[in-house]
Amino acid sequence: MIIAVLSGKGGTGKTTVAVSLASVITNSQYIDCDVEEPNGFIFMKPLIERTDVVVVKVPDIDPSRCTLCGDCARICQFHALAATKSGILTFPDLCHHCGACTLVCRADAIREVPRRIGVIEADAQDRMIQGKLDVGQPVGIPIITALKKRIQPQATSIVDCSPGSSCAVVRSLEGSDYALLVTEPTPFGLHDLKITVELVRKMQIPAGVVLNKAGADNSLIEAYCQNVQLPILMQIPFSRTLAEAYSNGRLPIHSGSRWITRFEELFQNILESFTGTPL
């Protein structure tokens, strides 16, 4: 089973939930797809034994063959190529590595050359994996694609998505069996929850909500979830103690068996919500 954990905005506690869930599930795999800012390993502290470089292919123009027809620049939707009177200009940072320019080049003047964009780090068994986009690189989706290829079918995989609803989130969500949406009881939390709900429903992925920083009045989120028939599977209270522990690299599950039991119950609630039958 693949469970994607996401949130419409940063700072809602998405990684807290994802790492805690992965820690209490027997035979789990944790995959940090927030490649621009992975932080799950801060809490899991795995021994990194494998580091694999992720490369993409970008166009390289052979001026001796190029006829300056401009077909490559016209086919590129991302303006990574520009046709000028003196030659074809390439902008590798804009390239999305689709290979269309190579396909349309009738003069066979384009070859694809490798370009490093980041790394994948993992423990020896690939049970804890994270992607890291190199500084200055604009597109991390190829790293996410490489991460998803390492999902272990026999395990329960927890995919820690980046915040928001960008292309990176869509790629992280693809193929997931269930989406766990982490939110908070604020107008901003509700606004971004609506965006993520719309996304998972367009992708036809069943979903449930974890309400973090819950307080005396959670009616804003509760009323919306009831209206759209979205189950709230767990509430985590607003707590200075939990916040202080988090700032020191400690999760709720590190504070005692009560929280371990609660996250185990969350997993059972996910299974029940997914199957539609009590377990």
Side-chain angles (χ1 to χ4, degrees):
M1 184 180 189
I2 303 173
I3 302 171
V5 184
L6 65 154
S7 62
K9 61 183 288 293
T12 59
K14 170 181 57 63
T15 295
T16 296
V17 172
V19 173
S20 297
L21 197 56
S23 299
V24 302
I25 296 174
T26 303
N27 191 27
S28 69
Q29 180 187 34
Y30 173 78
I31 304 173
D32 197 340
C33 286
D34 187 1
V35 299
E36 294 185 32
E37 195 174 5
N39 61 346
F41 278 21
I42 294 175
F43 305 99
M44 304 194 88
K45 299 178 175 62
L47 177 62
I48 298 174
E49 297 193 22
R50 295 178 56 188
T51 300
D52 300 314
V53 175
V54 179
V55 298
V56 295
K57 292 183 177 180
V58 296
D60 181 61
I61 312 296
D62 182 350
S64 67
R65 288 178 172 267
C66 181
T67 62
L68 297 178
C69 67
D71 286 348
C72 57
R74 282 189 289 272
I75 198 66
C76 183
Q77 299 181 47
F78 305 101
H79 308 292
L81 297 163
T84 70
K85 292 181 179 180
S86 58
I88 304 295
L89 301 179
T90 62
F91 304 94
D93 286 343
L94 299 180
C95 181
H96 281 56
H97 333 296
C98 66
C101 56
T102 305
L103 291 174
V104 300
C105 181
R106 292 168 289 181
D108 195 26
I110 302 177
R111 66 187 183 102
E112 293 180 311
V113 296
R115 174 184 173 92
R116 170 182 161 143
I117 61 168
V119 297
I120 291 176
E121 298 176 335
D123 64 358
Q125 293 79 35
D126 261 8
R127 288 308 180 102
M128 288 178 273
I129 316 173
Q130 70 174 4
K132 295 174 70 175
L133 184 68
D134 285 347
V135 174
Q137 293 297 323
V139 180
I141 290 177
I143 300 178
I144 297 172
T145 300
L147 286 167
K148 298 292 290 290
K149 289 179 179 178
R150 294 167 74 162
I151 287 177
Q152 299 177 350
Q154 73 276 15
T156 299
S157 298
I158 307 299
V159 177
D160 192 350
C161 305
S162 56
S165 56
S166 66
C167 296
V169 176
V170 173
R171 181 59 58 87
S172 301
L173 269 173
E174 286 176 343
S176 297
D177 298 303
Y178 197 86
L180 194 59
L181 315 180
V182 183
T183 190
E184 57 189 31
T186 65
F188 290 118
L190 176 60
H191 174 271
D192 294 318
L193 175 62
K194 290 179 179 179
I195 295 173
T196 54
V197 169
E198 183 179 359
L199 174 62
V200 297
R201 290 192 167 171
K202 282 186 176 180
M203 297 181 69
Q204 299 182 331
I205 300 173
V209 171
V210 171
L211 179 56
N212 192 23
K213 307 175 189 175
D217 184 9
N218 306 312
S219 58
L220 199 66
I221 301 298
E222 290 172 346
Y224 169 74
C225 289
Q226 183 176 7
N227 185 51
V228 299
Q229 299 182 325
L230 191 68
I232 297 178
L233 305 180
M234 182 183 188
Q235 293 192 17
I236 302 173
F238 183 87
S239 167
R240 183 182 180 90
T241 301
L242 292 180
E244 288 178 349
Y246 180 87
S247 68
N248 288 301
R250 293 178 56 81
L251 298 173
I253 58 171
H254 296 145
S255 62
S257 59
R258 181 174 73 93
W259 281 105
I260 294 175
T261 300
R262 290 201 61 189
F263 277 96
E264 289 174 339
E265 291 172 348
L266 171 61
F267 181 50
Q268 294 304 312
N269 289 338
I270 291 171
L271 294 177
E272 182 178 334
S273 176
F274 176 65
T275 61
T277 56
L279 299 176

